[in-house]
Amino acid sequence: MFFSYALYLGLVLCGLGLLYKLAWWFSARVGDAAQGLGPARRVGAALGGLLRALASPRLRPMLGGLVLDGFFQRRSLAHSRLAWAGHMLMFWGFLLLLLMHALEKQISARLFSDYAATLNPYLPLRDLFGIMVAAGVGITIYRRAKEPVLKRTTRAVDRLAIAILAVIILSGFALGALKITSQQRFQAMVKEYSTLDKAEEVQALEAYWARDFGVVFGQGEAPPRDEVWEKGRQLHESECAQCHDRPQWAAASYGLSRLLKPAALFLNRKDVDTALWYVHFLACFIGLALLPWTKFLHLFTSPLLLMARAAGDLRGMRPANQATLRAFMIDACTHCGACSVHCSVAVAVGQTANLDILPSEKLNGLRRLAQGRLQGPEAERLREGSYVCTLCHRCTRLCPVGIDLQELWFALNQDLARRGLGPAYLATRELASGAAEESRGRGLVKVEPSRVRPALISSALAATFTNCYRCLTCSNVCPVVRFYPEPMKRLDLLPHQIMHSLGLGLMEEAMGARMTWSCLTCYHCQEACPQGVRVTDVLYELRNLAAAQARAGRI
């Protein structure tokens, strides 16, 4: 009765949590596009989009994304084989344990007519799946202890998820080990399932199970005679073999039972196996109740997000679906840390001690901002993290669950600006652009070219713009330029033109060009330049010069 109530309570809490998540996904307003879009409109748009996707050629890539990226973690493999191994072991081990063990009556028994948890080939599978999860947890702990960024960003909810999973697996192994050694369980099975009614027959079966099945009946007993053991073997074949194979196949539980053998009688007398039974199932029920609030939720959110991303680009969706998908992406994060480990500006954390610079932590700040729970110093830290970000797209490319982090950073900047917390450089950009517009109205503001190079002094490599011979390589590889159908209208000057402008001494034109302020600092242009021009460094220095002049009141 207790377990039934605990199960129902866990299911109710899990259901309420999932309902809350659903309500938040369809009501959260992240970014300007989400303003004014109510939940009813967003639900209708989501259902319409789903029906259109299922009836379109996009269904095939959606299923491909589900299998390759969801079930086999192809995106995780792209950045770390060790992380991929840990994710795969935990994901498949946990999923198979859930299907074949926790739901064995509903699934395994119906799929396999001869199913019994104590028979081969099913007997070793439970231990194998548990070993997979334990190995995955071990890899996760090792990576978080070894990698400084992961160690610094590990939160209490991460430790809670790992702890619950560890308790479930370890208590399961220990419970299996005590069942193997338990004299009481052996006697209960003989009484309930066998037809033995003579004491000598029961003793012979005990002799066989003591030697071959590891049951502990007493300390210091002499080994059974061969004829007694043979009789026990025959009784086992007639009474037990149809339901029980030797427990040695359950490698982890049987190995642990050998370690516990000296204390087996004491542990069984104290009903430790019963206590472990409560611990094991209560941990499962607690994990179920906390599923919507821990990493366990990604068992559902990750495959759904990967399918949605495979269906089409986020920017091509209707505004209502964009708004819903942004909120969904925030909750799809598994906090694996891949984005933070490889973040282009992660080194800045050592200087500022602001973890909101890192993508995984900034995403959590965005969630709190959308929920209205970010105030004071926390909001200022998030503002700084948003400002430092170079929008290089690396985090988006590496995210194993397909979160479009770049889209979320754009939305974050919009939400911060709406609350009066816009990044400081936006004001500088407007001043510089305004100065450039004025210069266009009154004619080009030209600086003597020999004075331009010394002005770019913060980076010793920035002055390499003089090497440019306008081959257009930097503009051809620039993702910002390729994003716009008519880049000249949106960016004023292209990268190679900015280098040429500096060579001509047109400093304010270069500083005020929207390309200078739209640069993602992805370094594609710099890596591709055949002349070694530090294009990205030049653009970065132009921003610094504009900021310095803005502070001095010169623009």
Side-chain angles (χ1 to χ4, degrees):
M1 186 64 69
F2 172 80
F3 285 111
S4 297
Y5 287 139
L7 174 60
Y8 295 147
L9 179 61
L11 288 171
V12 168
L13 293 176
C14 179
L16 291 175
L18 291 176
L19 287 175
Y20 172 83
K21 289 291 184 181
L22 280 171
W24 191 75
W25 294 336
F26 287 106
S27 63
R29 298 179 178 181
V30 181
D32 289 344
Q35 307 306 310
L37 295 174
R41 183 176 174 184
R42 287 164 64 171
V43 170
L47 293 174
L50 176 62
L51 293 175
R52 287 191 299 272
L54 293 177
S56 73
R58 292 178 293 176
L59 181 59
R60 184 173 180 179
M62 288 171 63
L63 295 177
L66 174 65
V67 174
L68 296 177
D69 295 328
F71 293 156
F72 293 102
Q73 299 284 309
R74 178 178 57 179
R75 297 173 65 95
S76 181
L77 184 61
H79 76 87
S80 170
R81 293 182 179 180
L82 188 61
W84 175 82
H87 292 160
M88 287 293 289
L89 287 169
M90 280 196 291
F91 176 80
W92 281 107
F94 186 83
L95 186 63
L96 291 170
L97 271 178
L98 177 66
L99 296 177
M100 290 200 67
H101 174 49
L103 301 175
E104 61 180 358
K105 292 182 179 179
Q106 292 78 17
I107 296 178
S108 298
R110 295 185 179 182
L111 288 177
F112 310 104
S113 58
D114 62 340
Y115 175 80
T118 50
L119 282 176
N120 286 332
Y122 315 108
L123 175 60
L125 290 180
R126 182 166 52 191
D127 272 35
L128 174 62
F129 300 152
I131 291 171
M132 289 170 60
V133 176
V137 170
I139 291 174
T140 299
I141 294 174
Y142 169 76
R143 288 185 65 243
R144 290 192 174 270
K146 182 182 177 182
E147 176 59 54
V149 172
L150 292 179
K151 189 174 183 180
R152 295 186 67 175
T153 58
T154 299
R155 301 194 298 257
V157 68
D158 299 316
R159 297 188 180 93
L160 177 63
I162 292 174
I164 291 174
L165 206 54
V167 169
I168 291 173
I169 299 303
L170 295 179
S171 63
F173 285 150
L175 181 59
L178 288 179
K179 285 182 177 179
I180 290 172
T181 62
S182 176
Q183 178 183 7
Q184 289 89 339
R185 288 189 177 272
F186 171 82
Q187 292 171 341
M189 286 189 296
V190 169
K191 182 177 180 180
E192 184 172 357
Y193 298 110
S194 78
T195 60
L196 304 180
D197 55 3
K198 297 181 179 179
E200 60 271 16
E201 291 178 335
V202 174
Q203 291 172 357
L205 187 60
E206 287 180 355
Y208 179 78
W209 274 60
R211 180 189 292 184
D212 287 52
F213 280 71
V215 180
V216 178
F217 292 98
Q219 300 293 338
E221 293 184 354
R225 297 190 307 274
D226 290 343
E227 60 272 17
V228 175
W229 177 88
E230 178 60 27
K231 182 177 180 180
R233 186 190 65 78
Q234 294 174 0
L235 290 170
H236 168 79
E237 292 293 333
S238 62
E239 298 286 340
C240 311
Q242 63 271 24
C243 295
H244 289 274
D245 278 314
R246 297 179 65 178
Q248 286 84 339
W249 289 98
S253 297
Y254 186 78
L256 185 57
S257 74
R258 297 305 86 195
L259 294 176
L260 296 176
K261 184 177 180 179
L265 287 177
F266 172 79
L267 295 174
N268 286 318
R269 281 198 298 268
K270 296 298 182 180
D271 285 333
V272 175
D273 56 338
T274 303
L276 277 174
W277 179 274
Y278 279 91
V279 169
H280 182 70
F281 280 93
L282 285 177
C284 293
F285 297 152
I286 291 172
L288 177 63
L290 295 178
L291 184 146
W293 316 104
T294 63
K295 290 185 174 186
F296 300 147
L297 183 64
H298 88 275
L299 290 171
F300 307 100
T301 57
S302 296
L304 290 175
L305 177 58
L306 289 165
M307 289 183 68
R309 290 297 308 278
D313 186 74
L314 177 65
R315 295 162 189 82
M317 296 180 181
R318 296 183 178 182
N321 286 335
Q322 290 179 0
T324 301
L325 196 57
R326 285 195 198 99
F328 187 78
M329 287 192 295
I330 294 175
D331 270 337
C333 176
T334 65
H335 204 242
C336 68
C339 54
S340 295
V341 169
H342 299 281
C343 178
S344 299
V345 293
V347 66
V349 176
Q351 303 297 323
T352 67
N354 182 0
L355 290 179
D356 282 347
I357 291 174
L358 301 174
S360 60
E361 310 314 298
K362 188 163 54 177
L363 192 62
N364 185 51
L366 175 57
R367 176 191 289 107
R368 292 170 59 82
L369 182 69
Q371 294 172 341
R373 298 188 293 119
L374 202 68
Q375 304 293 335
E378 290 183 336
E380 287 297 327
R381 286 197 297 272
L382 184 60
R383 177 189 186 185
E384 182 182 36
S386 176
Y387 170 67
V388 172
C389 175
T390 63
L391 300 175
C392 66
H393 284 267
R394 183 178 293 178
C395 53
T396 296
R397 290 196 304 269
L398 291 175
C399 179
V401 295
I403 300 174
D404 190 342
L405 289 160
Q406 235 58 50
E407 176 66 21
L408 292 178
W409 302 155
F410 289 134
L412 170 61
N413 289 337
Q414 293 168 354
D415 289 344
L416 287 171
R418 195 181 306 108
R419 290 167 172 79
L421 294 169
Y425 86 93
L426 289 178
T428 303
R429 171 182 174 172
E430 293 304 318
L431 287 169
S433 298
E437 290 296 329
E438 287 184 22
S439 72
R440 295 187 185 99
R442 64 174 185 266
L444 295 177
V445 178
K446 186 173 182 179
V447 179
E448 183 64 32
S450 61
R451 294 172 55 194
V452 174
R453 182 167 177 168
L456 299 173
I457 58 175
S458 296
S459 171
L461 300 174
T464 58
F465 68 87
T466 54
N467 297 335
C468 176
Y469 61 87
R470 301 181 299 284
C471 68
L472 277 69
T473 299
C474 55
S475 296
N476 288 337
V477 301
C478 176
V480 178
V481 173
R482 284 182 290 162
F483 181 78
Y484 295 110
E486 298 180 278
M488 286 292 294
K489 292 183 178 180
R490 301 298 299 269
L491 301 172
D492 302 321
L493 297 173
L494 303 187
H496 75 282
Q497 294 172 321
I498 292 176
M499 300 304 107
H500 186 46
S501 297
L502 292 173
L504 295 174
L506 305 177
M507 178 74 80
E508 288 195 16
E509 289 287 321
M511 283 194 299
R514 281 176 284 187
M515 178 67 239
T516 300
W517 299 90
S518 299
C519 173
L520 302 176
T521 63
C522 64
Y523 286 90
H524 287 175
C525 55
Q526 194 157 301
E527 292 170 355
C529 180
Q531 286 293 96
V533 178
R534 305 290 178 166
V535 184
T536 305
D537 290 336
V538 172
L539 298 178
Y540 207 93
E541 289 305 314
L542 288 172
R543 294 185 189 181
N544 290 339
L545 282 172
Q549 293 188 26
R551 287 194 295 270
R554 292 169 57 189
I555 60 174

